[in-house]
Amino acid sequence: MDGIRRCIFSLGCTLFRLITGEFAFPGESAAEKIKARQQGAARRIRSFRADAPKPLEAVVSKMMAPDPDHRFQTAREVAEALTPFCRPDEFAASQFISKPSGEASSAHGIQPSDDPRLKQFFAHLANQAADEPPAHHEPKVRVPLLSRRTRLLVFAGAGSLLLLIAGWHWAGETTLTVDWPPTDRRQATLTINGRDIAVPADREVRASGRSGHWEVRLTRAGYEPINKSLDLTFGEQRLFSPEWRPLPETVRREEFSTLKRRVAESASTNSPESQVIGLRPELIRFRAKYAVTDEARGATALLAKLPSPLDRLSRESIPEAALRQAGLGDPRQAPPTIFSILGVGRFACWNRVVSLAISHDARWIAAASVDGTVRIFDRQTATERHVLRISSDPREIAFSPVDDILAVAGSRREVTLWSAVDGNLKATLRGAGDPLAFSLDGKLLAAGGRRSEVVIFDAGTGKIHRTLAGHPGGSPRILLFSPDGHRLVSQGTDASVALWNVSSDGEPRRFLRSFRPRFSPDGSLLATGSGDGDLRLWETADGKLQRTLRRGGDPLGFAPDGRSLVSYRGGRAIVWNPATGDERRVLTGVPALAALSPDGTTLAAANPNAQDMRFWNLQTGASISVASHQGPIASLAFTPDSSRAISAGTDHVIRQWNPSTGSEESPVEPGWGPVACDPDGRLVAITRQGKVELWDVTAPGQPIRVLEGETPDLLQLA
């Protein structure tokens, strides 16, 4: 019985295909059709052929019923149900009525035929299926064979009908051809009415289907997706030409690829020098346009491969006075890398900056450099005021919180105190060096001792106030006074943190495997990082552990009201509620060099190995990216009022920023901006503070002309 019902199901699918030209179950592949078969009933004939009789649709649907028990159970039932649709003379509404009451009705109320030959044929089939001899209660009736001519007519009619159905289906098929070059099909997709269409690699992109409304969606790597609604008529052949819009990163990559190719061509074809130098302004504009991207860094690398008009400058043309200034009074001590001096740099050092400090009123910026100098700049005018001559290389500098005294720790274990106003030496504290820390009232200065000690000086007299045992297993690396000045905390190279009471002689409280200590604003809590990655909060009064913030990393600082704590761990900055231990906000993609503004609202972070810097608003989580330096960034700091951020890089330049906008507050290039030269290389033009200065490279003492007014991007001198 199951075999008969499966055959009836297959016959129903075949009949559906012949009538509609479609498959009973949708799908492009056999797997998709099988899935559609498992998920529900077959489609209805009248969904595709509205002119088909409803009784015929009911018969075919019953043949394909999902449950075999709901199908016709024998071939006889199928034949009786289909008989009315095979006799045109009887195909009328009168044939689709139910049998009189009391009689067995056929499927869907269709009367079976009374043809005795059909009855004899069905009886023969039934006896064969049961493997029994024919019934004897009815006389045998020999079914006469059709004549040869009749069979030919039947076959010819069936063939014509099949050709007619196939032709109708083919003529009614709608085709959409997409004008899509093979070179633009990388990682491409095509979807029509929610169905994915395979995109060939090199052949014509074509899709066929029934007329009506088509929803077309095309995607391509690096471009915006295209969504198009099309109304296609019966048998229409439509050509669709998509208009691709590249994504910003695609435009950036293509522009950089073009510049990279031109630089390579200039190097391989020995292009004229003026043409090669002309690429420099384009690379500079590209780098400024797409700051803080891989392509901008690539443009910087390409600039290094191009010749510069400054390559023609000679050290012999530098005036003696300029060399004397660079050599701190002795021209022979001027750095040998100097080949010319054009004007005076702003916020510039002669070498890499190792430490940065800002005065309490943000008037002064001090920078210590590996060239052995400490330079003091006026922040408002960005001019250099003093160059401090240190007897040993400066390691760390710090301003007093209450006045203009600058402390400088040298490599020979000597701390010197200087006035930022007049640049004079005020005191020398021997036997101490880095690290440095002033108490908030400015009365005490803590410094690292000769061995593992910590020495506390009276900042006014220079006398030793107290010497602490420090870290027996290492030397101090961080010193910090509590806000009330009663406690001092240090971190040592032995991976421990020690907490002292400055006014008593007791032993310090020690916290092993702890790093980066930070006091809360009221001094009641001490936050430390740990070797296991957790952040811990300690009671400063008794040293007890108050709370552990799992995977919190190292603390950066507290907000002034103490209600927020910011920490850093593995590229993430986390804003905590220290009272509950809950995370309030998590920032991702944060570089390792990070600084928290004094008001606790802004985070500045930079990659020590790159030129990029970002500012985060901790209240909203929004960030601003800037390309800050021509080399890696070495130091970050905020002014006491949090209105400005100061950065120092290995490009020897100090820059100040507005953290809320990411804009640079003053021109701080070491000597010039974009540079261009005339074809013979004698004249050099540089931009500075909204002006264009023309220099004669054979006599670089003063510019020969200054062009003021609105200055566009400097391109070329003719």
Side-chain angles (χ1 to χ4, degrees):
M1 181 65 72
D2 287 341
I4 294 176
R5 293 186 295 187
R6 282 197 294 267
C7 292
I8 292 173
F9 178 87
S10 300
L11 182 61
C13 293
T14 303
L15 187 57
F16 186 97
R17 175 69 169 171
L18 289 174
I19 295 174
T20 66
E22 299 285 346
F23 292 105
F25 297 95
E28 288 293 319
S29 63
E32 292 178 356
K33 293 183 178 66
I34 293 174
K35 184 177 181 180
R37 163 70 180 86
Q38 294 172 342
Q39 290 178 345
R43 296 189 285 188
R44 309 287 291 186
I45 287 179
R46 289 174 58 84
S47 298
F48 303 94
R49 290 290 303 272
D51 56 338
K54 291 183 179 180
L56 176 61
E57 180 184 59
V59 170
V60 177
S61 296
K62 184 172 182 178
M63 294 172 69
M64 299 184 296
D67 188 348
D69 292 336
H70 295 166
R71 300 176 195 155
F72 295 105
Q73 300 300 303
T74 66
R76 180 188 184 97
E77 293 180 3
V78 176
E80 289 179 347
L82 290 175
T83 296
F85 307 104
C86 300
R87 303 175 61 181
D89 56 326
E90 297 182 7
F91 186 72
S94 60
Q95 295 293 328
F96 306 111
I97 58 176
S98 301
K99 282 188 173 184
S101 176
E103 297 185 13
S105 60
S106 62
H108 302 280
I110 300 175
Q111 290 281 9
S113 172
D114 294 330
D115 192 335
R117 293 176 299 174
L118 184 60
K119 293 181 178 180
Q120 179 65 26
F121 175 71
F122 287 142
H124 180 69
L125 289 178
N127 290 331
Q128 283 189 338
D131 196 19
E132 297 178 357
H136 297 286
H137 60 277
E138 291 188 9
K140 291 185 178 180
V141 179
R142 185 168 180 263
V143 180
L145 297 176
L146 298 177
S147 66
R148 177 184 179 89
R149 179 175 179 177
T150 303
R151 289 199 303 270
L152 290 176
L153 289 175
V154 171
F155 290 148
S160 300
L161 179 60
L162 289 176
L163 289 175
L164 180 62
I165 293 174
W168 174 84
H169 178 68
W170 177 82
E173 191 173 63
T174 298
T175 302
L176 177 68
T177 302
V178 182
D179 183 13
W180 203 343
T183 55
D184 296 344
R185 301 180 193 174
R186 183 176 64 88
Q187 298 179 16
T189 64
L190 171 62
T191 304
I192 297 179
N193 291 339
R195 187 178 64 180
D196 293 334
I197 306 298
V199 180
D202 49 7
R203 294 182 289 104
E204 187 177 52
V205 180
R206 177 177 294 180
S208 300
R210 299 193 62 81
S211 60
H213 185 75
W214 288 29
E215 288 292 338
V216 182
R217 177 178 174 85
L218 300 93
T219 64
R220 173 186 170 194
Y223 290 79
E224 296 180 3
I226 295 177
N227 296 289
K228 187 72 174 179
S229 297
L230 301 174
D231 291 312
L232 303 180
T233 59
F234 185 83
E236 181 180 359
Q237 308 290 315
R238 177 79 65 90
L239 177 65
F240 174 51
S241 299
E243 297 181 359
W244 295 101
R245 294 182 178 180
L247 296 173
E249 53 266 28
T250 302
V251 175
R252 184 178 70 243
R253 284 194 295 265
E254 290 178 351
E255 289 185 20
F256 178 70
S257 179
T258 300
L259 288 173
K260 188 176 181 179
R261 175 180 51 78
R262 291 175 58 192
V263 171
E265 290 175 351
S266 67
S268 60
T269 59
N270 295 322
S271 302
E273 184 178 1
S274 59
Q275 180 179 344
V276 176
I277 292 177
L279 284 170
R280 295 183 64 86
E282 295 186 47
L283 288 169
I284 292 173
R285 285 198 302 272
F286 177 88
R287 187 176 61 182
K289 181 179 179 181
Y290 300 114
V292 199
T293 63
D294 292 338
E295 289 77 14
R297 286 186 279 272
T300 300
L302 292 178
L303 278 170
K305 299 179 180 179
L306 294 177
S308 169
L310 299 181
D311 295 338
R312 298 179 176 179
L313 298 175
S314 172
R315 183 181 176 87
E316 284 71 23
S317 62
I318 302 177
E320 182 74 13
L323 288 175
R324 185 178 297 108
Q325 180 186 11
L328 301 178
D330 186 354
R332 295 172 299 179
Q333 299 299 320
T337 55
I338 297 176
F339 54 85
S340 184
I341 298 176
L342 305 180
V344 178
R346 298 161 61 85
F347 278 165
C349 298
W350 290 109
N351 216 314
R352 181 169 59 89
V353 175
V354 296
S355 185
L356 196 63
I358 305 170
S359 64
H360 69 101
D361 56 1
R363 177 183 177 185
W364 309 107
I365 295 177
S369 174
V370 296
D371 62 7
T373 64
V374 175
R375 297 173 185 270
I376 299 178
F377 301 91
D378 187 313
R379 191 181 70 85
Q380 298 298 329
T381 63
T383 56
E384 180 183 288
R385 294 297 299 269
H386 308 291
V387 178
L388 308 182
R389 294 168 175 81
I390 310 300
S391 59
S392 61
D393 294 338
R395 295 283 186 83
E396 185 175 336
I397 57 177
F399 268 107
S400 167
V402 296
D403 53 31
D404 297 321
I405 297 298
L406 176 69
V408 180
S411 59
R412 297 178 182 174
R413 311 310 297 173
E414 184 178 84
V415 176
T416 52
L417 303 180
W418 303 79
S419 169
V421 177
D422 54 23
N424 292 330
L425 177 64
K426 296 298 183 181
T428 300
L429 312 179
R430 304 190 185 280
D434 62 307
L436 298 173
F438 277 97
S439 61
L440 290 187
D441 58 8
K443 295 180 179 181
L444 300 178
L445 172 63
R450 291 187 179 276
R451 293 175 292 277
S452 61
E453 301 170 343
V454 174
V455 183
I456 301 178
F457 294 92
D458 185 313
T461 63
K463 294 181 179 180
I464 296 178
H465 175 75
R466 186 180 175 191
T467 300
L468 306 176
H471 297 263
S475 57
R477 282 292 174 264
I478 295 177
L479 291 175
L480 190 66
F481 277 97
S482 63
D484 58 9
H486 295 163
R487 292 179 174 85
L488 175 70
V489 66
S490 70
Q491 175 196 321
T493 56
D494 58 353
S496 70
V497 168
L499 178 65
W500 282 275
N501 188 325
V502 177
S503 59
S504 68
D505 296 331
E507 288 295 318
R509 302 185 187 278
R510 298 189 183 275
F511 310 99
L512 302 180
R513 294 180 56 79
S514 299
F515 310 94
R516 290 204 175 191
R518 293 292 185 272
F519 281 106
S520 63
D522 60 1
S524 63
L525 293 178
L526 180 68
T528 64
S530 62
D532 56 9
D534 293 341
L535 189 154
R536 293 181 169 85
L537 300 178
W538 309 88
E539 297 281 356
T540 57
D542 53 16
K544 292 182 179 180
L545 178 64
Q546 188 213 57
R547 188 181 302 279
T548 298
L549 306 180
R550 298 297 181 187
R551 318 305 291 173
D554 295 330
L556 295 178
F558 286 84
D561 58 6
R563 296 181 179 179
S564 295
L565 169 64
V566 182
S567 66
Y568 173 86
R569 186 177 190 276
R572 300 192 312 158
I574 308 171
V575 182
W576 302 87
N577 182 341
T580 63
D582 296 330
E583 294 182 6
R584 287 177 170 170
R585 188 179 300 278
V586 178
L587 308 176
T588 59
V590 180
L593 182 61
L596 180 67
S597 63
D599 62 6
T601 62
T602 305
L603 179 69
N607 188 336
N609 300 316
Q611 306 100 316
D612 308 334
M613 184 167 66
R614 295 177 69 183
F615 296 104
W616 278 269
N617 184 319
L618 297 181
Q619 296 176 345
T620 65
S623 67
I624 301 174
S625 299
V626 296
S628 55
H629 289 267
Q630 300 300 316
I633 300 172
S635 301
L636 282 177
F638 278 91
T639 56
D641 61 0
S642 301
S643 64
R644 300 294 180 268
I646 311 298
S647 64
T650 57
D651 56 358
H652 316 166
V653 179
I654 302 167
R655 298 174 182 264
Q656 58 176 336
W657 310 85
N658 184 331
S660 61
T661 63
S663 59
E664 192 172 354
E665 288 300 296
S666 63
V668 293
E669 293 292 340
W672 51 80
V675 178
C677 70
D678 65 338
D680 63 8
R682 187 179 66 86
L683 293 179
V684 175
I686 66 174
T687 58
R688 188 205 309 275
Q689 303 178 40
K691 303 175 184 178
V692 176
E693 301 178 0
L694 299 180
W695 295 77
D696 186 336
V697 299
T698 62
Q702 292 292 333
I704 61 176
R705 188 176 180 186
V706 178
L707 307 178
E708 300 190 30
E710 185 174 353
T711 57
D713 289 341
L714 188 59
L715 297 178
Q716 187 174 354
L717 289 179

